[in-house]
Amino acid sequence: MLGGFFALCAAATFAFNNASVRRAVLTGSIVQGMAITVPIAVPLSFIAALITGNLAAVMGFSPTAVVALSAAGIMHFVWGRYCNYRATRAIGTNLVAPIQQFNLLVTLVLAIWLLGEYLTPLKILGIALILLGPTFTMQKKVPPGERAVSEEKITPIDAEKPAAFQPKYAEGYTFSLLSAIGYGLSPILVRVGLENHGIGGSFAGGLIASIAATAVFALILLWPGQWRHVWSTDREAVKWFTFSGFLVFFSQMFLYMAMSIAPVTVVSPINRLSILFRLFFSRLLNPQHEVFGGQMIVGTIVSLLGALALSISVDAVGGLLPDAWQPLLHWHWP
């Protein structure tokens, strides 16, 4: 249950982060955003590890674990984030979200293949519900001639936005899929790196991952003209990118804590609830820049039932069912 709760917290904070990023890329570039959000994780991770008394745990990881955590940081914070930012700028958060569901399948297949995890009827039910829930939120169509965004102007940024947002579908869909691959691989690498280190080790693991990601991104900033470009970031974009950096840090900490105590096949599907949370936060922050489905409530309920199915143990449910159901309930694959 605790692992499921941490995964749910990770989903909510990651969704809020996505809404913040959508606001930031209206005036800021992808490189500018990453120059803020990637390095900010290092001091935050250091402080978290220090406060919780887990800073020394950094030295307790094996070379294999360090490599796995470093790779996870690079895949998630550099590869996945770059592709996510680019896709978000091209087609918007709400159009990116359904495509990124693909990362769940990547994660589950690798978890079963590499980590020896397995599927049970409860997990299959939960996964199916979580995948089904978001489809309800994406069914509302914009009537012909009706704008997909509101005409209301609420900030100077909104006032400067072009009259109609024109999605770049090819770019957006391509980078959505690429981000899904990065986000799908990183939980497996985190699970490998954090094995047997518990919740405390997740703070140290997050520090290793953020240092590796920052080091790699620093190489990108060595390209001529990049530093000048970063220093020219619009003040409004700096505010939203910084807010996003804090949110994504907490999201990753919740995710690492969840991965340290719960199977990937439980954590990753629950984390996909971010697709629903982001609709609420997008409504709060970006009412002009997204299209919202009218069946959001139904989708939320369905997906939350899926999260519940993934969070509860087979033994807890088994005590409520007759003996005839026990063989089916305890079946697993492989």
Side-chain angles (χ1 to χ4, degrees):
M1 290 295 287
L2 186 59
F5 172 74
F6 284 142
L8 193 63
C9 291
T13 49
F14 187 67
F16 205 169
N17 157 71
N18 275 301
S20 300
V21 167
R22 179 68 179 118
R23 193 58 174 263
V25 295
L26 295 176
T27 55
S29 73
I30 296 169
V31 172
Q32 289 171 338
M34 294 186 66
I36 295 172
T37 60
V38 174
I40 201 174
V42 176
L44 292 176
S45 298
F46 179 87
I47 293 171
L50 181 64
I51 292 176
T52 59
N54 292 289
L55 188 59
V58 172
M59 306 305 296
F61 288 99
S62 67
T64 300
V66 171
V67 170
L69 290 168
S70 298
I74 294 168
M75 288 300 299
H76 196 101
F77 300 142
V78 181
W79 173 280
R81 188 171 298 177
Y82 173 84
C83 294
N84 183 41
Y85 282 11
R86 187 158 176 179
T88 299
R89 185 180 65 179
I91 61 177
T93 295
N94 288 351
L95 290 178
V96 168
I99 304 168
Q100 287 184 338
Q101 290 291 331
F102 177 73
N103 78 49
L104 174 61
L105 300 180
V106 173
T107 299
L108 293 178
V109 169
L110 292 177
I112 293 171
W113 179 33
L114 299 177
L115 301 182
E117 296 188 12
Y118 55 85
L119 294 176
T120 66
L122 274 177
K123 288 182 181 179
I124 294 173
L125 174 62
I127 291 168
L129 290 174
I130 285 180
L131 290 176
L132 177 63
T135 65
F136 287 96
T137 69
M138 303 301 165
Q139 288 179 0
K140 183 177 180 181
K141 305 298 183 182
V142 179
E146 182 179 323
R147 285 176 53 98
V149 295
S150 168
E151 296 286 354
E152 179 186 4
K153 299 295 188 295
I154 57 175
T155 69
I157 289 183
D158 297 326
E160 295 170 3
K161 187 178 181 294
F165 172 55
Q166 298 295 329
K168 300 177 181 178
Y169 291 105
E171 178 183 352
Y173 289 158
T174 298
F175 282 94
S176 294
L177 286 172
L178 291 175
S179 70
I181 293 173
Y183 289 153
L185 286 173
S186 61
I188 303 298
L189 295 168
V190 170
R191 183 66 175 170
V192 170
L194 294 180
E195 193 66 57
N196 300 321
H197 284 278
I199 294 179
S202 65
F203 292 97
L207 177 59
I208 293 173
S210 60
I211 290 175
T214 301
V216 169
F217 185 71
L219 297 177
I220 299 175
L221 292 180
L222 295 178
W223 194 264
Q226 291 302 318
W227 272 112
R228 187 181 305 108
H229 176 62
V230 169
W231 282 110
S232 66
T233 306
D234 177 84
R235 180 177 298 179
E236 190 75 9
V238 169
K239 179 182 71 175
W240 287 107
F241 277 131
T242 302
F243 187 46
S244 169
F246 278 90
L247 286 171
V248 79
F249 163 75
F250 285 110
S251 172
Q252 289 304 305
M253 283 297 96
F254 283 130
L255 182 61
Y256 277 46
M257 287 190 287
M259 289 291 185
S260 69
I261 59 176
V264 172
T265 48
V266 171
V267 174
S268 289
I270 295 176
N271 195 43
R272 294 314 303 147
L273 286 173
S274 63
I275 191 177
L276 299 173
F277 285 119
R278 77 175 65 186
L279 291 172
F280 291 104
F281 292 126
S282 292
R283 173 70 71 181
L284 177 66
L285 297 182
N286 307 307
Q288 292 183 271
H289 308 293
E290 302 285 356
V291 179
F292 300 93
Q295 296 177 308
M296 185 190 311
I297 301 301
V298 175
T300 300
I301 294 173
V302 171
S303 290
L304 286 176
L305 289 174
L308 179 61
L310 285 167
S311 300
I312 59 179
S313 67
V314 171
D315 292 335
V317 176
L320 303 175
L321 297 177
D323 293 340
W325 288 73
Q326 299 305 317
L328 175 61
L329 188 65
H330 288 83
W331 174 89
H332 64 82
W333 182 86

